[in-house]
């Protein structure tokens, strides 16, 4: 809500500056002097309002529906018609005498410095030429803004697609195994069964609801990781040793959802084999404006497949590059016996 109000405020200030500032700095022929709201001033005011209206129509309608669909001839025709209206209509509304404008300039004004003659210019063109410059600026500025907007929208869409892909990876290979583990606990009458059901419920709520946001509280991400580790401990039991260390306080810091989790989830996905020595070490330390993550897992053979970091980590690397440019340090080491991931992240 605050961002929306701030956007409206910026638009209002920008519109007022565009409409009023050119009236103060636009050139005037020597004969157009007098009261502030004389004919040239009113003409310029109308022209600037029309250009402002054209900017928003061009930005929200004409560019997306014509220019981006590569209908360049149609776009040129629309822009040309708009240009003629913006240049001519204000003069018509303010009673421009086009007959008077056909007269040439005075003989004295036809002489340049040094007594050399110069080509006469139409007084009407001299009066509105600053409108021509402003119109060109409006065209270029609206196109650049729309291109920039489409670029950022494509980046957001890509991030959302990668997040959905990451969530889809978590569902199949973890959810059903966890449900089977909870079923086994229930059959044996274990006291851990009810607690596991609650943790799985919280896990799924975060995954399906909170993870849709652009950022979540770091404390929620840590609760999500904690639930995941507890569920993995219940599922895997003695087949893997999990060492989890947490230091510092998350406070009100926020982080992109599933960003830390992806590296932890990958350690379980590629570092657990009941027939081998499996150990996963996780350490998360926090300060007021940063968080550090260290994940270490043994290299094990899984279904005779070669170990890899997985697409989840690859997606997370891309997300870090886009969401935290120059605000993160990521190091991934592949040693003979283990993988080591080290991440340092500046938070908001």
């Amino acid at each position: 809500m605050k961002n929306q109000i701030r956007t409206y405020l910026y638009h209002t200030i920008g519109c007022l500056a565009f409409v009023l500032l050119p009236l103060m700095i636009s050139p005037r022929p020597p004969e157009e002097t007098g009261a502030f709201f004389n004919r040239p001033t009113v003409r310029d005011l109308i022209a600037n309002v029309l250009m402002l209206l054209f900017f928003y129509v061009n930005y929200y309608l004409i560019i997306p529906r014509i220019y981006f669909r590569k209908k360049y001839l149609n776009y040129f025709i629309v822009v040309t018609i708009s240009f003629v209206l913006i240049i001519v209509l204000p003069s018509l509304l303010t009673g421009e005498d086009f007959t008077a404008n056909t007269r040439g300039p005075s003989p004295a004004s036809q002489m340049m410095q040094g007594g050399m003659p110069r080509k006469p210019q139409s007084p009407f063109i001299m009066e509105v030429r600053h409108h021509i410059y402003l119109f060109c600026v409006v065209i270029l500025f609206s196109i650049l803004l729309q291109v920039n907007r489409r670029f950022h929208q494509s980046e957001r869409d890509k991030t959302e697609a990668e997040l959905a892909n990451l969530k889809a990876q978590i569902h199949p290979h973890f959810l059903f195994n966890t449900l089977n583990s909870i079923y086994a606990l229930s059959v044996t009458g274990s006291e851990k069964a009810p607690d596991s059901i609650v943790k799985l419920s919280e896990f799924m709520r975060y995954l399906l609801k909170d993870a849709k946001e652009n950022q979540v509280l770091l404390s929620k991400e840590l609760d999500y990781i904690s639930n995941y580790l507890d569920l993995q401990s219940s599922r895997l039991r003695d087949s893997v040793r999990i060492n989890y260390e947490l230091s510092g306080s998350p406070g009100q810091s926020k982080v992109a959802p599933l960003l830390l989790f992806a590296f932890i989830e990958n350690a379980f996905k590629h570092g657990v084999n009941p027939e081998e020595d499996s150990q996963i070490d996780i350490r998360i330390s926090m300060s007021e404006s940063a968080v550090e993550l260290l994940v270490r897992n043994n290299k094990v053979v899984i279904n005779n497949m070669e170990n890899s970091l997985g697409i989840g980590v690859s997606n997370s690397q891309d997300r870090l590059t886009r969401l935290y440019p120059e605000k993160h340090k990521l190091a991934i080491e592949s040693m003979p016996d283990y993988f080591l991931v080290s991440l340092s992240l500046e938070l908001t």
Side-chain angles (χ1 to χ4, degrees):
M1 185 64 178
K2 291 183 179 180
N3 291 336
Q4 192 174 23
I5 294 176
R6 188 181 299 113
T7 300
Y8 289 148
L9 180 61
Y10 289 158
H11 276 267
T12 301
I13 295 175
C15 291
L16 289 175
F18 181 82
V19 171
L20 299 179
L21 186 59
L23 303 183
M24 305 298 178
I25 65 175
S26 59
R28 291 284 188 274
E31 62 272 16
E32 292 188 351
T33 58
F36 181 77
F37 283 103
N38 53 19
R39 188 196 61 79
T41 301
V42 176
R43 179 198 61 211
D44 288 351
L45 179 62
I46 296 174
N48 288 330
V49 170
L50 289 177
M51 274 189 276
L52 189 63
L53 178 62
F54 173 77
F55 170 82
Y56 283 103
V57 173
N58 188 46
Y59 180 82
Y60 287 108
L61 295 178
I62 302 176
I63 295 177
R65 297 185 181 183
I66 300 179
Y67 184 83
F68 284 152
R69 294 180 181 179
K70 299 183 179 180
K71 299 178 181 179
Y72 299 125
L73 179 59
N74 293 346
Y75 183 75
F76 176 77
I77 294 173
V78 172
V79 169
T80 302
I81 294 174
S82 302
F83 171 76
V84 172
L85 289 176
I86 290 174
I87 296 300
V88 176
L89 187 59
S91 295
L92 292 176
L93 293 177
T94 54
E96 177 76 19
D97 187 356
F98 290 97
T99 303
N101 282 337
T102 58
R103 301 170 186 169
S106 62
S109 64
Q110 294 184 18
M111 305 299 292
M112 296 179 61
Q113 186 177 1
M116 296 298 293
R118 63 181 177 182
K119 185 179 179 179
Q121 289 186 335
S122 168
F124 175 72
I125 297 299
M126 294 180 63
E127 291 175 7
V128 300
R129 61 184 176 183
H130 57 287
H131 294 161
I132 300 174
Y133 302 146
L134 282 177
F135 186 83
C136 293
V137 171
V138 166
I139 291 289
L140 293 176
F141 191 59
S142 57
I143 291 177
L144 289 176
L145 282 180
Q146 188 60 256
V147 169
N148 182 68
R149 177 176 176 271
R150 281 171 64 93
F151 172 77
H152 287 292
Q153 182 62 44
S154 65
E155 290 294 302
R156 286 193 295 268
D157 292 342
K158 184 177 180 181
T159 299
E160 291 175 1
E162 290 174 350
L163 181 58
N165 188 20
L166 179 60
K167 290 160 69 176
Q169 293 177 65
I170 299 169
H171 285 198
H173 86 276
F174 172 74
L175 178 59
F176 296 113
N177 289 336
T178 303
L179 289 174
N180 288 333
S181 299
I182 293 175
Y183 172 76
L185 292 173
S186 301
V187 170
T188 59
S190 173
E191 296 179 354
K192 295 182 179 180
D195 186 55
S196 297
I197 293 174
V198 172
K199 290 182 180 298
L200 180 61
S201 175
E202 294 175 351
F203 179 90
M204 297 305 298
R205 182 182 298 110
Y206 180 87
L207 191 64
L208 299 175
K209 182 180 178 182
D210 296 327
K212 293 181 180 180
E213 302 295 329
N214 293 328
Q215 287 192 326
V216 297
L217 288 172
L218 178 58
S219 57
K220 280 191 174 184
E221 180 83 358
L222 295 177
D223 290 342
Y224 174 72
I225 291 173
S226 179
N227 287 337
Y228 176 80
L229 295 177
D230 289 341
L231 290 171
Q232 288 285 23
S233 297
S234 299
R235 183 176 72 87
L236 298 171
R237 300 184 184 181
D238 298 330
S239 63
V240 61
R241 295 190 303 276
I242 303 175
N243 300 318
Y244 179 45
E245 298 180 12
L246 187 64
S247 62
S249 173
Q252 297 299 312
S253 298
K254 292 186 176 183
V255 67
L258 300 178
L259 193 59
L260 303 178
F261 170 81
F263 299 101
I264 297 173
E265 190 265 347
N266 190 77
F268 282 93
K269 187 175 181 181
H270 298 281
V272 174
N273 186 343
E275 299 178 0
E276 297 186 34
D277 182 22
S278 300
Q279 178 174 326
I280 297 177
D281 301 315
I282 303 168
R283 185 168 68 245
I284 300 177
S285 57
M286 294 161 288
S287 62
E288 292 183 358
S289 59
V291 60
E292 294 183 0
L293 170 69
L294 185 68
V295 181
R296 181 187 184 277
N297 64 274
N298 293 352
K299 283 186 174 181
V300 298
V301 178
I302 303 175
N303 297 329
N304 296 321
M305 295 176 60
E306 183 180 355
N307 290 305
S308 64
L309 288 175
I311 191 172
V313 170
S314 177
N315 286 346
S316 296
Q317 289 176 297
D318 292 339
R319 293 178 69 204
L320 281 168
T321 301
R322 289 196 305 274
L323 300 177
Y324 297 92
E326 301 181 359
K327 292 186 178 181
H328 77 278
K329 294 181 180 179
L330 176 65
I332 301 177
E333 300 180 30
S334 179
M335 307 303 290
D337 299 324
Y338 62 88
F339 280 114
L340 181 63
V341 177
S342 176
L343 172 65
S344 177
L345 187 65
E346 295 182 26
L347 301 176
T348 56

